[in-house]
Amino acid sequence: MAKIYPIVKYGDPVLARTAAIVTEFGTPELKQLLADMFDSMIAANGVGLAAPQIGISQRIAVIDCSPRDQPPDRIVLINPEILHTAGKQSEEEGCLSLPGFRESVTRPMHVTVRAQDAEGRWFERTGEDLLARAFLHETDHLHGRLFLSHLSSLKREMIKRKVKKLQNEGEW
Ligand code: NI
């Protein structure tokens, strides 16, 4: 049975922590967690989800950036490392842990990631555009970084103030 996890929001310390390296692979628990992460991501209308966003501080992320009218392209990243980046893109970026906030973030256009799959096998994959952005965004999560860290301090402080206000109002 699938479990839909609630998404942890900005302000929770788990999002600011460096997640632990995964050392056990191929277990039923890991497979269930990955299935639940995909279901939770889809339920939240996201294209990527990192384990800290469901309160689990382990280096695991799932991504599916495929267009809605195309077959799914489910990518599991465990212990990911960014190997290579090239080019530049500026697009609006959001995060399930910062609902309601989207900002333009400049990122590389091409990104090669190295990661392990559910069985522990290492693989490399190169993405461009949205997929490149997702590789970086999700890998950032596993090191305690949100897209806020790529904004100007002015914009970052503005968002922090708005979040604080929402927290005070009990709406966060
Ligand atoms: Ni995010």
Side-chain angles (χ1 to χ4, degrees), residues 48 53 94-97 137-138 141 146:
Q53 294 184 279
C95 178
L96 294 175
S97 295
H137 181 113
E138 300 311 330
H141 269 301
L146 302 183

Side-chain angles (χ1 to χ4, degrees), residues 83-165:
L83 286 188
H84 181 72
T85 66
K88 209 170 157 183
Q89 57 166 321
S90 294
E91 290 293 337
E92 283 221 326
E93 191 168 321
C95 178
L96 294 175
S97 295
L98 273 159
F101 295 97
R102 294 183 68 80
E103 291 291 338
S104 176
V105 180
T106 302
R107 302 255 197 193
M109 180 54 114
H110 305 271
V111 172
T112 302
V113 69
R114 177 175 181 264
Q116 284 169 284
D117 66 13
E119 303 297 331
R121 292 174 295 235
W122 286 97
F123 66 94
E124 284 180 24
R125 182 148 172 193
T126 300
E128 63 172 16
D129 214 320
L130 180 61
L131 185 55
R133 181 174 292 279
F135 285 160
L136 295 165
H137 181 113
E138 300 311 330
T139 302
D140 269 358
H141 269 301
L142 304 181
H143 293 90
R145 284 190 301 268
L146 302 183
F147 77 84
L148 290 184
S149 63
H150 298 280
L151 303 178
S152 68
S153 56
L154 190 73
K155 276 198 175 150
R156 188 163 52 241
E157 290 310 316
M158 196 179 75
I159 291 175
K160 284 184 183 177
R161 269 202 309 277
K162 285 184 182 167
V163 168
K164 182 134 281 174
K165 187 161 173 281

